[in-house]
Amino acid sequence: MGTLAVGRWRARVGRPGGHTESEFEFARDGTAMLVVGGKGAGTWTQTGPDTFSYRINEELTEAPGTIEIAQDAVLRGDEFVSNGNAVVRLANGTTAREAAIQITAQRLG
């Protein structure tokens, strides 16, 4: 599992059409939470000495369904940059949209 990403992170989520602010929390047991800017849970895994990946399912607020966030990150000091996709899935399982996103984050505290 590793301890590379353990902590709380303030993030800027870049997506087509703009950006949003969020906060993530990565725990020592490999769980990942979206705690500000949405609500979601998932897992994270250290993949190298300064790299990790994380997957979070965020609850949609405007309709029943989820946003599946899949990212691969590179850590440099107390910052990371991650790239991947976000897939919006409706409650019936259909894909409403998909987009490439980049997240830059700063460790808090």
Side-chain angles (χ1 to χ4, degrees):
M1 246 173 275
T3 60
L4 183 73
V6 170
R8 190 165 179 137
W9 300 84
R10 178 170 295 128
R12 180 180 173 105
V13 182
R15 56 186 97 225
H19 73 276
T20 58
E21 303 292 325
S22 296
E23 287 186 19
F24 297 100
E25 210 168 285
F26 299 115
R28 199 171 294 277
D29 67 358
T31 57
M33 303 286 290
L34 173 61
V35 293
V36 173
K39 183 179 176 186
T43 60
W44 76 275
T45 305
Q46 187 166 333
T47 56
D50 61 352
T51 59
F52 63 98
S53 63
Y54 57 101
R55 309 290 179 260
I56 296 175
N57 287 332
E58 178 183 353
E59 297 173 18
L60 279 177
T61 55
E62 64 271 3
T66 59
I67 302 170
E68 298 170 1
I69 302 164
Q71 294 279 293
D72 294 313
V74 176
L75 181 71
R76 289 190 179 88
D78 283 334
E79 298 181 345
F80 74 77
V81 175
S82 65
N83 291 282
N85 289 324
V87 178
V88 177
R89 292 209 197 280
L90 302 178
N92 66 7
T94 60
T95 300
R97 63 185 175 273
E98 184 172 354
I101 59 173
Q102 181 179 65
I103 297 173
T104 56
Q106 178 83 33
R107 191 184 306 263
L108 297 173

